Amino acid sequence: MQIGPMQDDEMLLIYAFIRVTRSARVLELGGQLGGSARNFLAATRGLPGATVYTVDLIRVRSQAANHVTLKQDATQLTAADVHNLPIDLVLLDCHHYNATIHTLRVLRSAGLIRANTTLALHDTGLHQVSRDPAHKRRPDVLRAQPGFVVHELVERLVVEDLRTVGIDGSGRERWAAIHAHRDVVAEGDVLQFRHGLTLMQLDRALDNELLRSYTGIGVDTGPGTGGASG
């Protein structure tokens, strides 16, 4: 398994998510060696309007005609940089709080982050100290439990802020999260090495008007015993 910038299993999860949700327009903050961009390009292949944007302080080589690379600070990002079109998935992987929040607020205020936009935050998991001794030298490390440290504080802080107060900080909208890693390790259990990946969408109910329209037309809403899955 790759243990570099983004792990193979994490890329597989994002690939499958994009294919299932048909998320054609992707923006990533932090491109590094271009591995995640290759994954995005493969996942969006054949989708109408497929475009991948990569923002990084270093120059990232464009890998396709529909791969737009921007060598700039994320705090300089504007709606025009993504052609003023809505983004379906945003990967936040630049490890800078102000740049991350700035990008989200710019896109949200321009209407480019919508109710069905997915935010993916990388490096939200834990690292074992024995596997990552460099953490011992970092003054900002938080110890989650004996033998484990928080991998990247920024992304975890952003997740918590989105969950509790939303992008604009007002608390009027909150984001629900799915964490593709574990924080709690039972005694004797072995935590598989994960950088950590969190997927977030606006916390919203399904269309209740649509649900009510089915009332009385043969939908069994009583106690059930389960159903087939395949």
Side-chain angles (χ1 to χ4, degrees):
M1 175 183 293
Q2 176 184 340
I3 58 172
M6 184 173 285
Q7 294 171 277
D8 295 339
D9 288 355
E10 294 170 339
M11 287 196 184
L12 180 61
L13 174 61
I14 289 183
Y15 179 97
F17 187 87
I18 288 174
R19 296 305 298 177
V20 169
T21 59
R22 297 181 64 82
S23 299
R25 291 178 47 77
V26 177
L27 167 67
E28 62 171 348
L29 299 189
Q32 208 165 31
L33 301 178
S36 53
R38 283 192 295 274
N39 191 51
F40 289 138
L41 289 166
T44 58
R45 185 176 296 124
L47 298 179
T51 309
V52 176
Y53 301 88
T54 298
V55 180
D56 205 307
L57 289 172
I58 64 173
R59 186 171 300 282
V60 178
R61 181 178 59 85
S62 176
Q63 303 180 49
N66 62 333
H67 182 203
V68 179
T69 60
L70 302 167
K71 182 181 180 295
Q72 63 186 53
D73 192 311
T75 58
Q76 300 171 348
L77 188 75
T78 67
D81 288 328
V82 294
H83 300 116
N84 294 297
L85 294 172
I87 299 297
D88 298 314
L89 186 144
V90 183
L91 175 66
L92 303 169
D93 197 16
C94 72
H95 314 317
H96 191 284
Y97 183 88
N98 290 339
T100 299
I101 294 300
H102 168 83
T103 298
L104 293 177
R105 288 179 176 173
V106 165
L107 297 177
R108 186 65 171 146
S109 63
L112 306 187
I113 287 181
R114 303 172 297 174
N116 59 346
T117 296
T118 301
L119 307 180
L121 295 97
H122 191 228
D123 296 329
T124 53
L126 303 181
H127 275 187
Q128 281 182 283
V129 174
S130 60
R131 300 275 309 257
D132 195 351
H135 278 92
K136 295 179 179 179
R137 301 191 295 271
R138 282 178 45 188
D140 61 339
V141 162
L142 289 180
R143 292 188 176 273
Q145 56 181 306
F148 294 90
V149 293
V150 171
H151 180 25
E152 288 290 345
L153 297 183
V154 167
E155 277 68 28
R156 288 179 74 107
L157 287 172
V158 172
V159 167
E160 188 60 19
D161 283 353
L162 293 176
R163 273 195 342 100
T164 55
V165 297
I167 290 176
D168 66 1
S170 69
R172 290 191 295 268
E173 62 178 34
R174 300 184 182 187
W175 292 70
I178 296 177
H179 307 293
H181 53 82
R182 290 186 296 161
D183 273 3
V184 178
V185 183
E187 184 176 353
D189 195 5
V190 176
L191 182 68
Q192 188 173 13
F193 186 79
R194 280 280 180 270
H195 294 315
L197 182 66
T198 297
L199 300 178
M200 306 190 76
Q201 287 186 335
L202 268 174
D203 189 3
R204 57 194 174 93
L206 294 175
D207 188 338
N208 289 327
E209 289 299 322
L210 177 63
L211 295 177
R212 279 193 284 271
S213 69
Y214 279 88
T215 303
I217 59 172
V219 177
D220 184 1
T221 58
T225 58
S229 61

